[in-house]
Amino acid sequence: MSGRQSGRPTLEEVAARAGVGRGTVSRVINGSPRVSEQAKAAVDRAIAELGYVPNQAARALAGSRTDAIALVIPETEARLFAEPYFLDLIRGVGAELAEADKQLLLTLVRSDRERRRFEQYVAAQRVDGVLIASVHADDPLPELVRELGLPVVLNGRRSEDEPVPYVDSDNAGAGRAAVDHLAARGRRAIATITGPLDMYVARARLDGYRAGLAAAGLAADEALVATGDFTEEGGHRAMRELLARRPGLDAVFAASDVMAAGARAALREAGRRVPDDVALVGVDDSTVARLMDPPLTSVRQPIEEMGRTMARMLLQELAETAQAPHRRVLPTEMTVRAST
């Protein structure tokens, strides 16, 4: 015998012999069309050389559908329930899946250990596909899920060249629209509070902000840029930093409504009136924007529709009616209220 002294060859051994991932071997065994001819030939050779015999019970399980779709949000419970964005996204995903008689499995992944546990769960064929929100640049989960042979769709993207299917909004356009609006109202010292810069969404909104300054003939000033984390506390902290650096600033574009709420609190503590002294714009057009005092001007992104589109895209891939890679970027629009 080659390699093993007892027992049958395993799927992992076939994958190692073929030079492919475990998910590729599983797809070949189960007759999936999502495998290249070269990979299929390598797997077939490895199976023959090792004498691998698929477990029929496992094959039957793998070939069946669970009618369950996982939505993975790599955030804490506190962030999930404090951020209207996620609740709107879940509402959209859930509505679309319900119409297709699919079960939504909501999963929070907050650590490497939880990610490994989720990978094991997916590898056991307990869901038909995976949706992932709030992706960071170095997140390996999309590739890990695809390697296991399951379709995956992202909410947002990790880079301009994202290879995994995704649904996003026009984040650069949101930043540009915010600055255009503020400049049109005569503001000249326009600051921004960004999201975490390891997220494409934050970098794109910052790029839009800079493009808006250039279009308005305003010089870019890095002292008017502070990094936040999409939380109210982060917005509050960043606003205090900005006031310390540039006390004369007269406008702020916060890259989320929640951060704008934190910024509003810091401005009030500093005795600055909104919008008389400092105009304020957010992103999302969430309930936070409508309930602020004064109500917040915000760039609306169609969050619930993004959730629906993600789910629809995944269902199309499961039905093999979509051509990959599939990408959608939905438009944004300005909602003007009393904060500007």
Side-chain angles (χ1 to χ4, degrees), residues 70 87 95 144 164 280:
L87 302 181
L144 291 169
V164 177
L280 187 59

Side-chain angles (χ1 to χ4, degrees), residues 285-305:
D285 191 26
S286 63
T287 53
V288 170
R290 295 189 288 276
L291 296 175
M292 277 178 61
D293 177 25
L296 180 69
T297 293
S298 183
V299 184
R300 180 182 181 274
Q301 55 177 341
I303 303 168
E304 190 168 333
E305 180 57 29

Side-chain angles (χ1 to χ4, degrees), residues 76-93:
T76 63
E77 294 95 332
R79 172 94 196 278
L80 174 68
F81 293 110
E83 176 59 80
Y85 179 93
F86 293 122
L87 302 181
D88 287 345
L89 188 74
I90 293 167
R91 186 180 298 114
V93 168

